[in-house]
Amino acid sequence: MSDITQSGPVLAADGTPLKRSLSRALRMQKLRALMLIAPLLLFILVTFILPVGDMLFRSVENGIVRDTLPRTVEALADWDPASGELPEEAVFAAMAADLQIAAEEKTHTKVAKRLNYENPGVSSVFRKSGRKVSKWDLATDGPFREKLIDIDKGWGDIELWRTIKTYSGQITSGYFLNAVDMQLGAEGPEIRPENERIYNTMLIRTMRMSLIITFSCILLGYPVAWILANLPARKANLLLILVLLPFWTSLLVRTSAWKILLQQQGVINDTLVWIGLVDDANRLVLINNELGTIIAMTHILLPFMILPMYSVMQTINPSYLRAAKSLGATDWTAFWRVYFPQTVPGIGAGSILVFILAVGYYITPALVGGTKGTFISNLIAYHISTSGNWGLGAALGAILLAVVLLLYWVYDKVVGIDNVKLG
């Protein structure tokens, strides 16, 4: 018997090398998998990645000053604000030319609004001057320093020109400095006056109250999750419906209900007065403060804590507790040493979910928190939708995102994100 061994590549049924055929089949399989998840990737790109990127860009973008006042910015390049003297006549002439064009294009109000964020009062100077400068003949009128100062004395303020020079770059750190209660001064970054510091206070309040809300949800949600996990399936499903019931009601309706319950003439105070625990003249102040925000948000976010803990507790074998007790452990020891450690992944998942949701809430704090119980997210919403200061709103959002990511990193180092489970 003779065996003939033929050297060369192994061929597939169609005559192509087997290795090449397998590689092609694998590429097609990966391509099909990519096509399946492409809509989701596109959705994430459009609704999350691009908005976050746009937010980060807006927090440093500052092209409006240079684009609207190009001659003035160039003329101010050699001027030193520390000299204590106003810029030369050429700078005022450049400002007159820029202001005339900007007034015709209706852009002088935009640059005025931008500079007014850094130096209150600049807006009125630009608006008042724009109307009059637009009628000047730049070829014959002059000198422009005296004429501009005659229109508004603000042009004779060195601080106005320093503001223009400081914020004339395409990229600025001014928004981020404002977001941490600082400003660009004559000698660089400096802390704002004490009566103008609000953002650091709001950020600390947001973190502190979010942590309190998270721990409140743990304390209230753990017993509920334990009861659900240990009841017969029929009763557990019935109670689970009650847990999910708030999701069927609008957030605005639930928050408004708490506003009615917590007010001094509300149901809670009326009940406490009726049973004699509180005097009618000394009703509790439960709204328009931090307490009102904590109570309302704990109720709203509680299901997000219960569900992860319940799903984890369902997977714990009851025989572990029986085995611990049979070995002489008390009920408390068996719970603390055997049962509780197995529920920590559910607590971690619920805590991350509740905390991240809490720091971004602004409707509930706005309705029940008053001025003392609002979050930094309320200021972000104000700057984005009301004041129009998108740069500062974006900077505050970027700082909030950075703080949350930092806390997430710390949580991963201390607890371990791999230990977080949803069931």
Side-chain angles (χ1 to χ4, degrees):
M1 184 177 66
S2 61
D3 294 335
I4 300 176
T5 305
Q6 193 172 15
S7 62
V10 180
L11 301 179
D14 58 356
T16 59
L18 182 61
K19 184 176 181 180
R20 186 191 304 170
S21 180
L22 290 175
S23 299
R24 184 171 57 194
L26 185 60
R27 284 197 302 271
M28 291 300 296
Q29 185 179 5
K30 290 181 178 179
L31 183 60
R32 285 193 296 269
L34 179 62
M35 293 301 293
L36 288 174
I37 65 172
L40 176 61
L41 292 177
L42 182 62
F43 177 79
I44 294 175
L45 176 67
V46 172
T47 62
F48 180 73
I49 296 177
L50 290 181
V52 170
D54 181 66
M55 177 188 71
L56 295 175
F57 174 72
R58 286 180 181 274
S59 64
V60 296
E61 190 273 333
N62 189 55
I64 187 172
V65 177
R66 179 175 291 273
D67 294 342
T68 308
L69 308 173
R71 300 171 184 81
T72 305
V73 170
E74 184 177 354
L76 280 173
D78 298 328
W79 176 65
D80 182 12
S83 65
E85 298 179 357
L86 287 172
E88 297 178 353
E89 170 64 21
V91 177
F92 284 85
M95 173 59 73
D98 288 334
L99 199 57
Q100 188 176 71
I101 296 174
E104 293 175 357
E105 297 176 351
K106 307 296 183 182
T107 58
H108 67 295
T109 55
K110 295 180 180 179
V111 70
K113 187 176 182 180
R114 167 66 188 98
L115 294 172
N116 199 69
Y117 296 144
E118 314 299 338
N119 186 356
V122 171
S123 179
S124 62
V125 175
F126 271 76
R127 291 175 187 273
K128 182 179 179 180
S129 303
R131 292 189 297 268
K132 296 185 178 181
V133 172
S134 61
K135 301 176 182 179
W136 287 358
D137 183 358
L138 299 180
T140 58
D141 290 338
F144 296 102
R145 176 189 292 189
E146 287 75 11
K147 295 197 70 174
L148 283 173
I149 295 176
D150 286 342
I151 293 175
D152 195 298
K153 293 182 180 179
W155 294 112
D157 184 4
I158 295 178
E159 189 63 23
L160 180 146
W161 294 100
R162 187 195 67 79
T163 302
I164 297 174
K165 181 179 175 67
T166 301
Y167 294 95
S168 61
Q170 293 285 352
I171 302 297
T172 180
S173 61
Y175 291 126
F176 277 101
L177 290 175
N178 287 336
V180 293
D181 293 332
M182 299 182 70
Q183 61 185 355
L184 282 174
E187 299 180 357
E190 59 186 24
I191 299 176
R192 283 188 172 276
E194 188 173 353
N195 61 343
E196 297 180 10
R197 302 175 198 169
I198 58 173
Y199 297 114
N200 284 339
T201 302
M202 292 291 287
L203 180 61
I204 293 172
R205 180 198 294 173
T206 300
M207 296 297 111
R208 174 171 51 82
M209 291 179 62
S210 295
L211 287 173
I212 293 174
I213 291 166
T214 301
F215 284 114
S216 299
C217 288
I218 294 174
L219 293 176
L220 295 175
Y222 196 96
V224 176
W226 183 87
I227 292 172
L228 289 172
N230 289 276
L231 279 176
R234 186 173 180 179
K235 294 181 179 179
N237 290 335
L238 181 61
L239 292 179
L240 190 60
I241 292 175
L242 298 179
V243 173
L244 297 174
L245 193 60
F247 290 121
W248 303 346
T249 309
S250 168
L251 171 64
L252 188 60
V253 172
R254 283 179 281 162
T255 304
S256 299
W258 274 112
K259 191 170 184 178
I260 296 171
L261 290 171
L262 295 175
Q263 60 186 333
Q264 286 191 298
Q265 303 300 323
V267 176
I268 294 177
N269 266 301
D270 284 345
T271 303
L272 294 175
V273 171
W274 179 67
I275 62 179
L277 290 179
V278 175
D279 185 69
D280 189 39
N282 298 307
R283 289 173 173 253
L284 301 179
V285 181
L286 303 175
I287 199 170
N288 295 330
N289 52 26
E290 293 186 7
L291 180 60
T293 301
I294 291 171
I295 292 173
M297 288 188 61
T298 298
H299 165 254
I300 291 170
L301 297 176
L302 190 57
F304 295 99
M305 181 66 73
I306 293 175
L307 295 176
M309 290 194 295
Y310 166 63
S311 63
V312 170
M313 290 178 182
Q314 265 193 321
T315 64
I316 299 175
N317 195 329
S319 62
Y320 294 154
L321 284 176
R322 292 196 296 267
K325 293 179 182 179
S326 67
L327 293 174
T330 63
D331 290 341
W332 170 252
T333 302
F335 167 78
W336 186 249
R337 301 288 297 275
V338 177
Y339 188 83
F340 181 79
Q342 296 182 78
T343 64
V344 169
I347 296 174
S351 298
I352 292 176
L353 191 58
V354 169
F355 180 81
I356 292 177
L357 288 173
V359 295
Y361 260 60
Y362 67 92
I363 295 177
T364 302
L367 290 177
V368 301
T371 58
K372 299 180 180 179
T374 51
F375 285 3
I376 196 170
S377 51
N378 294 98
L379 289 178
I380 296 174
Y382 168 76
H383 287 304
I384 295 297
S385 61
T386 304
S387 73
N389 192 349
W390 285 23
L392 181 54
L396 289 169
I399 291 174
L400 185 60
L401 176 63
V403 171
V404 171
L405 291 176
L406 177 62
L407 293 175
Y408 182 85
W409 178 81
V410 172
Y411 181 90
D412 182 37
K413 292 298 181 181
V414 175
V415 179
I417 200 64
D418 294 334
N419 295 324
V420 174
K421 296 179 181 178
L422 292 172

